Amino acid sequence: MTLIKPGMLPGWLFGVALKVTIIAVALVIGAAIGETRIPFETVLEVLANKMLGQTYPVDAIDQGIIWNYRFSRAIVAASCGAGLAVSGLVLQTLLRNALADPYILGISAGASTGAVAVTIAGVGGGLISLSAGAFAGALVAFAFVIGLARMANGFAATSAGLIILAGVAGAQLFSALTSLIIARSANAEQARGIIFWLLGNLSGVRWPDVWLATPVAVGVVLIIILYGRALDAFTFGSDAAASLGIQVKRTQFILIGASALVTAVMVSLVGAIGFVGLVVPHAARFMVGPRHGRLIPVTAVTGAVFLITADITSRIVIPGQVLPIGVVTALVGAPAFAFILIVKSRRLR
Amino acid sequence: MLAASQLGWTAGKKPIVKQVEISISKGEVFGLVGPNGSGKSTLLLLLAGLRTPSSGSVTLEGHDLRSLRRREIAQRIAIVIQQMETTDRLTVRETVELGRTPWLGPVSPFGEDDQRIVTEALTETDILHLADRTWQTLSGGERQRAHIARALAQKADILILDEPTNHLDIHHQLSILKLVKSLPITVILALHDLNQAMECDRIGLMEGGSLIATGEPVDVLTMNRIQQSFNVRMHSLADQVDGQTFLRFSLP
Ligand SMILES: Nc1ncnc2c1ncn2[C@@H]1O[C@H](COP(=O)(O)OP(=O)(O)O)[C@@H](O)[C@H]1O
Ligand SMILES: [Mg+2]
């Protein structure tokens, strides 16, 4: 095995290699740990069999668990974590609000409403896919929240606290709408399934979900990386960004659209998972500082690893039972966030 | 090179800037004075293309700003507006590096030229020694100088500054003014200190959103106008050391 050392490669390539390695290791760990612990060698052998056409002798049941169940699930968890984390970062930067995140701003709730409206209430008559419904719901919710904040502020620039309050109102409203749709249209069995899904749940995830989650997450992260300089320019507000040559409206439109898209796709696959978009960007800022060129990739990788870890935790913390992953991210995320707040305010004196 | 004709801007129904006619020539230092709320900051935002006129237009060498791309404008016009704050833990150097944004592509790396320009701007504004300090640890005057350095790093040929001497100690007030006068570019700045305004090539006096006078400082800052616009009395005195006149004010 060749070891990659800094200096052997151009800096950026080393960075990319490091990030890919970190995610690969996390995926392997995610595939190895679960109710039945499977040795890492076995996991690597299964992956070699499946991806490199090798023929290691592996127990067929182990192979099935690892490949069909755990590995696909870990990849979706990683995509979801990366996607939600970068969309939280984008919202924090564009709204200049440390508390912004797709969950808190009601975007996830709107996506849930859209998804439920399509699947349960039959909006669109089968012509609209679940993800498209979720995307529409996410955009409507965001427009609602921003509109509410602006109206409350007399159409002037939206203030930081106000937009969070509007987000809380939006999240409540769209959750209520979701409940209303479920109560009106779903039978008891459907309702139980949906409620479990709404809390964030990766247990039904299989390979077809990978083919949706991963391209969307990778695509959105790449688009956002291209806007890294533009995001830096928003540091001192949108007037400052415009004075630095950024097309403010267009940039906001594209980046918020991309964030809503990735949120909607993830919600439609695994439900609304909170705290990833809020906590991970702050953790990444602690590691590499506020410049987006480094911050975006590090946020994506940290989000991926965070959600794989949260998923593992959700599977093993109560033996014989799977906890909704949203519960785990909140249990880890809330204290982490409190810690970040305290340290940050101490540092600022 | 930068001109406004029939320029107006309203907030809701309230007119904030009214029918401003102005033409700034290449290389001049143009000062804008007027009482609080007279519309100076709004006029500067309009001149930089950061507000869309409700009536009239702003033209840069004959081209309406609305027909130019944001990036083209940013390569020509740099502006320091008031109250530009951040909660990001950015260093001073990183802040000044933002000034290079209009000249860089999405993935093009920060080059040696860019580094040199940033260091130059840090030196000119006397904050090179603060380069690695984070934003939150700076005083108001140091932040102001960092913003001016950021605008200088933009290498635009028009520099617009809204009350650049605010928060600055007297030494740095004088050195910023000396610096902007020595630059071979066009400078438009809002000033509160009328004695400092006397040093401009030309000044404009704003009142209630209108530009009520423009011209050489001595012609604009007359006793009557000052009394009316600012509601103060003014005397001009001669300095015993160098014979220059300076203005004193008192309540009527
Ligand atoms: N976006 C806005 N909405 C409403 N009123 C505004 C807005 N911007 C400025 N004003 C008002 O316009 C007037 C002129 O403001 P400004 O241009 O900041 O004046 P100056 O810089 O000369 O003190 C003030 O009365 C201010 O309250
Ligand atoms: Mg002002």
Side-chain angles (χ1 to χ4, degrees), chain B residues 40-41 82 162-163:
Chain B
K40 302 182 296 294
S41 299
Q82 288 172 304
D162 197 351
E163 295 180 23

Side-chain angles (χ1 to χ4, degrees), chain A residues 236 238-240 243, chain B residues 41 44-45 48 50-51 79-84 144 147 150 160-163:
Chain A
F236 289 97
S238 48
D239 273 339
S243 82
Chain B
S41 299
L44 294 181
L45 289 168
L50 296 180
R51 294 288 176 275
I79 181 169
V80 176
I81 54 186
Q82 288 172 304
Q83 286 149 10
M84 276 206 277
Q144 182 72 353
H147 274 311
R150 199 242 325 125
I160 298 180
L161 304 168
D162 197 351
E163 295 180 23

Side-chain angles (χ1 to χ4, degrees), chain A residues 229 244, chain B residues 96-104 110 113-115 117-118 150 152-155:
Chain A
R229 275 198 208 289
L244 291 168
Chain B
V96 178
E97 282 174 359
L98 290 177
R100 299 308 296 154
T101 307
W103 302 96
L104 296 167
F110 211 79
D113 268 357
D114 299 304
Q115 289 298 358
I117 290 168
V118 166
R150 199 242 325 125
L152 291 176
Q154 216 168 318
K155 288 287 170 209

Side-chain angles (χ1 to χ4, degrees), chain B residues 23-39:
Chain B
S23 173
I24 315 275
S25 346
K26 199 174 162 81
E28 83 173 318
V29 176
F30 187 94
L32 207 53
V33 297
N36 294 137
S38 58

Side-chain angles (χ1 to χ4, degrees), chain A residues 149-306:
Chain A
R150 293 231 163 158
M151 241 150 44
N153 212 22
F155 291 92
T158 47
S159 82
L162 215 48
I163 202 157
I164 298 300
L165 285 180
V168 171
Q172 294 296 328
L173 173 68
F174 283 92
S175 302
L177 285 177
T178 306
S179 305
L180 184 70
I181 295 170
I182 294 172
R184 273 183 62 102
S185 316
N187 58 41
E189 197 187 326
Q190 275 180 321
R192 204 170 318 121
I194 292 166
I195 286 164
F196 200 68
W197 165 76
L198 284 177
L199 286 170
N201 182 4
L202 282 153
S203 44
V205 163
R206 295 292 180 273
W207 278 103
D209 303 318
V210 172
W211 306 133
L212 179 59
T214 307
V216 169
V218 170
V220 165
V221 170
L222 289 179
I223 289 173
I224 291 172
I225 284 175
L226 285 183
Y227 278 89
R229 275 198 208 289
L231 284 165
D232 280 342
F234 277 90
T235 301
F236 289 97
S238 48
D239 273 339
S243 82
L244 291 168
I246 306 302
Q247 290 180 289
V248 170
K249 288 254 165 61
R250 203 185 110 187
T251 304
Q252 287 171 335
F253 182 80
I254 291 172
L255 292 180
I256 287 173
S259 302
L261 175 69
V262 80
T263 305
V265 166
M266 299 315 161
V267 167
S268 69
L269 293 176
V270 301
I273 299 176
F275 273 102
V276 182
L278 183 61
V279 171
V280 172
H282 287 291
R285 270 188 212 100
F286 265 112
M287 291 187 270
V288 296
R291 295 294 288 268
H292 288 80
R294 294 169 76 196
L295 188 53
I296 297 163
V298 170
T299 299
V301 172
T302 311
V305 172
F306 178 65

